[in-house]
């Protein structure tokens, strides 16, 4: 098991952690409901946040039914975040 999957890109431009399609949060949490995985770290307050020159990983994944989930850790080779059912969804999510 690797430490964490990396957020390769994020197309949610109104997220405070988005910096030119790169996520600058220290880590994201994937939440949501079955058959839907939302980025629970999404925040839209008009202020840029995050850490400079940091690319986020997935700190925790609450979608236990996701194919990439191993003990609540994401094992996907890359994570893509973008608009979906919510403003920011984990587009890499795959139901087992």
């Amino acid at each position: 098991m690797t430490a964490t999957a990396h957020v390769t890109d994020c197309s949610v431009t109104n997220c405070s952690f988005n910096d030119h399609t790169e996520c600058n949060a220290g880590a994201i949490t994937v939440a949501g409901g079955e058959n839907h995985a939302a980025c629970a770290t999404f925040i839209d307050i008009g202020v840029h946040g995050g850490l400079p020159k940091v690319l986020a990983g997935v700190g925790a994944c609450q979608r236990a039914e996701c194919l990439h989930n191993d003990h609540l850790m994401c094992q996907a080779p890359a994570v893509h975040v973008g608009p979906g059912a919510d403003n920011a969804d984990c587009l890499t999510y795959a139901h087992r």
Side-chain angles (χ1 to χ4, degrees):
M1 172 176 13
T2 60
T4 185
H6 289 284
V7 178
T8 305
D9 59 77
C10 176
S11 60
V12 184
T13 57
N14 60 322
C15 180
S16 293
F17 293 111
N18 189 313
D19 184 19
H20 300 92
T21 72
E22 293 183 346
C23 181
N24 286 345
I28 69 167
T29 298
V30 177
E34 192 165 339
N35 296 320
H36 171 246
C39 177
T41 311
F42 169 79
I43 185 168
D44 181 10
I45 60 170
V47 175
H48 183 71
L51 304 167
K53 302 184 190 272
V54 170
L55 298 178
V58 178
C61 179
Q62 299 175 8
R63 304 298 359 120
E65 77 285 349
C66 181
L67 177 68
H68 305 293
N69 191 315
D70 182 18
H71 296 91
L72 304 180
M73 299 294 293
C74 181
Q75 300 302 305
V79 172
H80 305 279
V81 177
D86 287 319
N87 286 322
D89 282 357
C90 175
L91 303 178
T92 308
Y93 172 84
H95 194 281
R96 290 181 205 255

